[in-house]
Amino acid sequence: MSQATKEQLYLAIRLALIEMIAEDFPLPILIDDGFVNFDAERLDLLMQLLKYRKYENQVIFFLVSQGN
């Protein structure tokens, strides 16, 4: 599997778990470089999913700036 595919699978498992426990434990979703290897199509689909999830969980991104 490619690195992006592995990351997508890992993220899918995490989001499924969040979906299962969200009603009892509405914890925030923390993302730290969770999809740096995604292509534009995967990234767009993920953003659509996170826009949906934001109504149930707070979504927090940690971005690392490259360059000055």
Side-chain angles (χ1 to χ4, degrees), residues 52-67:
Y52 165 78
R53 285 292 337 150
K54 74 178 183 179
Y55 296 107
E56 301 296 325
N57 301 86
Q58 181 181 19
V59 179
I60 302 170
F61 291 95
F62 292 97
L63 302 175
V64 177
S65 175
Q66 295 182 344

Side-chain angles (χ1 to χ4, degrees), residues 3-67:
Q3 185 63 31
T5 302
K6 290 176 189 176
E7 290 173 8
Q8 188 176 16
L9 177 59
Y10 177 65
L11 193 55
I13 292 168
R14 287 177 55 197
L15 291 174
L17 178 60
I18 288 166
E19 180 76 27
M20 290 174 41
I21 68 170
E23 189 173 315
D24 296 325
F25 304 99
L27 300 170
I29 299 171
L30 304 173
I31 300 175
D32 179 18
D33 292 336
F35 35 83
V36 286
N37 294 309
F38 282 20
D39 59 26
E41 184 178 353
R42 283 180 173 148
L43 186 57
D44 184 52
L45 291 170
L46 175 64
M47 288 297 140
Q48 290 177 36
L49 178 61
L50 291 176
K51 285 178 186 176
Y52 165 78
R53 285 292 337 150
K54 74 178 183 179
Y55 296 107
E56 301 296 325
N57 301 86
Q58 181 181 19
V59 179
I60 302 170
F61 291 95
F62 292 97
L63 302 175
V64 177
S65 175
Q66 295 182 344

